[in-house]
């Protein structure tokens, strides 16, 4: 189990550090419906990550190993995911804003103050499990868990830990809000501004690092 945890950690942190969901929940936490919408978004996020991973494990798990050894197709999957991430990472880096450029948030974020708890929960699911970049991380993480020679119960424990780590990015602003109350607004606004400004650069570096790791793992596995 320890090896599975170590292998999935980069993917979990890749999901956790995705900037746009952090910006979204911060914006929700500075609205009149901060408590209900913030908790609903967090719940939707957790459900999205947990469910997406569970689906991947259910689909690939039974055929990921043979006699305790990973099947070749899992290494091909890692190689393909790595190449996809590498391409996305290059695009993110090239598209990052310059020092003097104005950063514009997605238009849908301007409507966050009018969200109901149900919409907040739905956006949590969408930004976690259906965000293409996060989905690649989730598939990659679930694949390494499926490759591990551990029981179904062990896989469930590892994926629960993945979900917890992947939720740190949206959990921290909620914790700040409840810990500091009205005094949290200034700090949350600073977090939002920094994440929005550095969104492309943060994701580019993160995606490139994990993409290279996946490519390396795929090549090494196929060459063994």
């Amino acid at each position: 189990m320890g090896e599975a945890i170590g292998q999935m950690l980069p993917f979990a942190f890749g999901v956790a550090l995705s900037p746009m969901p952090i910006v979204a929940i911060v914006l929700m936490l500075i609205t009149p419906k901060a408590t209900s919408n913030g908790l609903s978004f967090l719940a939707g996020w957790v459900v999205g990550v947990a469910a997406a991973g569970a689906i991947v494990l259910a689909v690939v798990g039974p055929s990921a190993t043979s006699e305790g050894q990973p099947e070749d197709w899992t290494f091909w999957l890692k190689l393909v995911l790595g190449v996809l991430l590498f391409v996305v990472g290059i695009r993110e880096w090239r598209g990052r804003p310059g020092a003097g450029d104005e950063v514009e948030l997605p238009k849908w974020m301007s409507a966050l103050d009018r969200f109901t708890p149900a919409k907040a929960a739905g956006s949590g699911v969408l930004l976690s499990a259906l965000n293409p970049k996060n989905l690649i991380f989730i598939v990659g993480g679930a694949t390494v868990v499926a490759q591990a020679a551990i029981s179904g119960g062990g896989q469930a424990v590892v994926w629960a830990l993945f979900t917890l780590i992947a939720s740190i990015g949206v959990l921290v602003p909620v914790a700040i809000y409840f810990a500091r109350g009205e005094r949290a607004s200034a700090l949350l606004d600073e977090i939002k501004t920094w994440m929005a400004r550095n969104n492309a650069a943060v994701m580019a570096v993160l995606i490139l690092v994990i993409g290279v790791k996946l490519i390396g793992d795929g090549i090494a596995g196929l060459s063994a």
Side-chain angles (χ1 to χ4, degrees), residues 115-128:
F115 269 26
T116 62
K119 285 186 177 180
S123 63
V125 173
L126 288 173
L127 289 174
S128 61

Side-chain angles (χ1 to χ4, degrees), residues 170-189:
V170 293
L171 179 60
V172 168
V174 174
I176 291 173
Y177 171 78
F178 281 103
R180 302 191 62 172
E182 294 181 357
R183 297 175 298 166
S185 296
L187 178 57
L188 290 173
D189 189 61

Side-chain angles (χ1 to χ4, degrees), residues 36-47:
S36 59
N37 284 357
L39 291 176
S40 295
F41 181 93
L42 177 59
W45 176 276
V46 171
V47 169

